[in-house]
Amino acid sequence: GSYTNRQLLNEFFSNYISGENQKVTMKGPITATKDGQDYPSTVLDGVLDENVIALGYEQGTLAFGGLVTSATQSGWEVKSTGKTVRGAYANFMNPLNVPLKITDVSALAKLPETIKYHVDIVKFVEEFDCESNIFAQLSIGPGIVQGHDDITWVDVPANDKVTYFSIADPPKGSKPETCPPSGIPIYDFSCCFATLTAAYACYLNPGIQDDPSTGQLTTDYMPFELDANITMLIDNAFEVNTTYDQPWFPLYFGWEVYGGYLSDLELSCKSYTFKD
């Protein structure tokens, strides 16, 4: 179709997956040319002009939870690029009766509030003061399937769900930094970004801040807000570019995220002091 039609269809599908009801006007028959064959106007041309309400998807959220572990935080190297990808496992629901192929994702995961903290990274003998209300920029691409760099998309069967690896990077426009900022870096991003996941898990659980081994969890997930742009192939044929905003998305975590593990920064909740 034309550019205008494509934009309208993108908007229609974005509203549908966001659960919004929409008024649709159906008109016809119309003159058309298909496969080189003309179908001229007839006496019935335009006899149908009807407004209907297309109901939005009402069976819950499409992104219905994720999981972060020490392994997903440490990540793995993508041989084709030489870079290391890190992130979390995400779940996605296909609400359609036909398969979807997700070919591109650009999502911003935001904290519902700003957290401020001081972190002591004993491994580097360095301390940092951090503040953030943005968790990460999420995407897909080479590395989402470990050992198969050529797979950069996510297939979702009709009326089914799938778990995939979502790459987490610093928000777009972040100042280029390394962690540690001097010496041999472990990360090609700031120590504040590197420590944020454990910081948020500890912040939500005051009972484990003094003693991660014996304290009690208040919650085993971190809530986020998602603002996403998603490109999909519907039935492996028709491409749509959608916007999808989700006000609540839970990211679950285990003990190794907050308890102090022998990996990368060797952090635990005792590494943090939170500020008002």
Side-chain angles (χ1 to χ4, degrees), residues 96-109:
L96 303 180
N97 295 324
V98 294
L100 289 178
K101 183 186 291 292
I102 303 173
T103 58
D104 188 53
V105 175
S106 177
L108 190 65

Side-chain angles (χ1 to χ4, degrees), residues 3-35:
Y3 174 78
T4 301
N5 286 343
R6 180 171 293 277
Q7 290 297 102
L8 291 173
L9 290 171
N10 289 343
E11 181 179 350
F12 176 84
F13 194 73
S14 296
N15 291 338
Y16 167 74
I17 62 177
S18 297
E20 297 183 25
N21 297 340
Q22 302 173 86
K23 183 175 77 172
V24 178
T25 301
M26 302 175 64
K27 294 185 177 183
I30 60 173
T31 58
T33 300
K34 183 177 181 180
D35 298 329

Side-chain angles (χ1 to χ4, degrees), residues 38-227:
D38 291 327
Y39 296 87
S41 61
T42 68
V43 69
L44 294 176
D45 193 20
V47 71
L48 174 65
D49 191 340
E50 185 75 21
N51 291 327
V52 298
I53 299 298
L55 300 179
Y57 179 66
E58 298 178 334
Q59 302 303 311
T61 55
L62 300 189
F64 58 93
L67 174 68
V68 60
T69 68
S70 60
T72 64
Q73 285 190 293
S74 297
W76 47 80
E77 183 181 357
V78 180
K79 292 184 178 180
S80 62
T81 64
K83 297 182 179 180
T84 297
V85 293
R86 300 175 176 87
Y89 293 109
N91 295 297
F92 187 87
M93 176 69 193
N94 178 4
L96 303 180
N97 295 324
V98 294
L100 289 178
K101 183 186 291 292
I102 303 173
T103 58
D104 188 53
V105 175
S106 177
L108 190 65
K110 301 182 293 184
L111 283 67
E113 60 179 308
T114 299
I115 64 170
K116 303 177 183 179
Y117 60 90
H118 178 87
V119 59
D120 183 5
I121 305 180
V122 177
K123 183 174 182 176
F124 300 152
V125 196
E126 292 203 51
E127 302 178 14
F128 301 90
D129 289 302
C130 305
E131 176 180 342
S132 183
N133 65 347
I134 297 177
F135 179 67
Q137 188 78 37
L138 307 177
S139 65
I140 59 175
I144 61 171
V145 179
Q146 190 174 5
H148 297 275
D149 299 358
D150 57 320
I151 300 178
T152 61
W153 64 89
V154 178
D155 286 315
V156 195
N159 293 312
D160 205 350
K161 51 186 177 290
V162 69
T163 299
Y164 69 96
F165 183 75
S166 179
I167 301 170
D169 290 309
K172 292 180 178 178
S174 298
K175 178 182 177 182
E177 294 184 66
T178 61
C179 181
S182 58
I184 301 175
I186 290 182
Y187 300 122
D188 58 356
F189 42 75
S190 73
C191 287
C192 283
F193 181 75
T195 59
L196 181 56
T197 299
Y200 192 24
C202 297
Y203 174 77
L204 295 170
N205 289 278
I208 61 173
Q209 291 176 15
D210 292 331
D211 192 339
S213 298
T214 61
Q216 296 296 312
L217 287 178
T218 304
T219 177
D220 62 352
Y221 66 83
M222 297 174 280
F224 294 102
E225 302 170 8
L226 290 181
D227 294 337

